[in-house]
Amino acid sequence: MAEMDMDAALRDLGVGDDLLDAKTRAQLDNDGFAPLHGILSPPQVEAFGARLAELSVIEGSRAGAEVHQEAGTDRLSDLVNKDPMFDVCFTHPRVLAAIRHVLGEFRLSSLNSRAALPGQGHQGLHTDWGVLRVGEGYQVCNSIWLLDDFTAQNGATRVVPGSHRKRGVAPADELDGDPSATHPDEIQLIAPAGTVVVFNSHLWHGGTRNNTDLPRRAMHSYFARRDVPQQLDQAEYLRVRTRDRLSPAARYVLGV
């Protein structure tokens, strides 16, 4: 068997140049994000939500501890090892095509979930990387898997289009030192459940306050260049039964 590399892994997972149209590529390049509609079917959305709820009960106060716990939210981490249903989050061809467009060579950094609770969830504008220097290329790219409709009321993620192209400046620099403030150019990512929004993680973004009486749920499949440390060391956490069920191409995307 030939040695696996990025091109071979993506080919085996069905990723081709025809999966992204010119509009989507331009959105990723210019705005820093692009919605991919209908990635998850309604039954998948329902099943994902139910499984995440079960895991939250099982893990209790430990939920999310592998990566991050956040007041005002329900978080889970290391979903790669917690149900085969989540494999699609790091193997879906169209999503991987978008990640490839942004990063080139990449691997999964972490697979987590976040539910903004009623009255909670506001975040300061931030990136998932430090401030990029002049001449430095993109290092990280995220994808939000919407398990509820994202609306203006329920805590939909806000972004500042084009901010991923800034160099040497952080959100606080444009907001008088207060990244939790409203940026004059920000918009919210409004889209139906089942959508996946791929966004360059150097884009200024953050959750907003959930002003409804229900949680606003999403998963985050976060990728990084292959030479960048993973948010969660996939090799360290990988369970034997997980390795055994995954194809060589899927394992390559995990970096294991």
Side-chain angles (χ1 to χ4, degrees), residues 104-125:
E105 301 274 330
F106 65 86
R107 60 182 176 173
L108 185 76
S109 188
S110 63
L111 178 56
N112 313 307
S113 68
R114 179 182 186 268
L117 301 177
Q120 305 291 328
H122 187 77
Q123 297 175 316
L125 286 173

Side-chain angles (χ1 to χ4, degrees), residues 215-231:
R216 195 276 294 143
R217 304 165 302 166
M219 295 183 299
H220 298 88
S221 187
Y222 175 51
F223 298 85
R225 288 187 56 84
R226 294 189 72 84
D227 56 352
V228 170
Q230 294 164 309
Q231 187 176 51

Side-chain angles (χ1 to χ4, degrees), residues 85-166:
M85 71 166 60
F86 301 127
D87 292 356
V88 67
C89 299
F90 58 92
T91 60
H92 193 284
R94 193 161 181 233
V95 174
L96 294 185
I99 303 297
R100 171 74 152 179
H101 180 74
V102 175
L103 293 181
E105 301 274 330
F106 65 86
R107 60 182 176 173
L108 185 76
S109 188
S110 63
L111 178 56
N112 313 307
S113 68
R114 179 182 186 268
L117 301 177
Q120 305 291 328
H122 187 77
Q123 297 175 316
L125 286 173
H126 62 280
T127 71
D128 296 331
W129 187 264
V131 175
L132 280 177
R133 300 183 297 271
V134 174
E136 187 176 17
Y138 300 133
Q139 306 293 311
V140 285
C141 188
N142 214 331
S143 60
I144 311 176
W145 296 65
L146 280 58
L147 300 183
D148 292 299
D149 295 344
F150 271 35
T151 72
Q153 291 76 40
N154 71 356
T157 303
R158 59 181 176 141
V159 300
V160 180
S163 55
H164 63 297
R165 292 183 277 112
K166 296 177 183 286

Side-chain angles (χ1 to χ4, degrees), residues 52 56-57 59-65 67-77 112-124 126 150 154-157 206-210 214-220:
L52 293 175
S56 291
V57 171
E59 297 187 20
S61 63
R62 298 178 293 105
V67 172
H68 181 57
Q69 295 176 310
E70 176 189 359
T73 69
D74 286 336
R75 280 187 175 263
L76 290 163
S77 302
N112 313 307
S113 68
R114 179 182 186 268
L117 301 177
Q120 305 291 328
H122 187 77
Q123 297 175 316
H126 62 280
F150 271 35
N154 71 356
T157 303
T208 60
R209 188 179 190 271
N210 180 359
L214 295 172
R216 195 276 294 143
R217 304 165 302 166
M219 295 183 299
H220 298 88

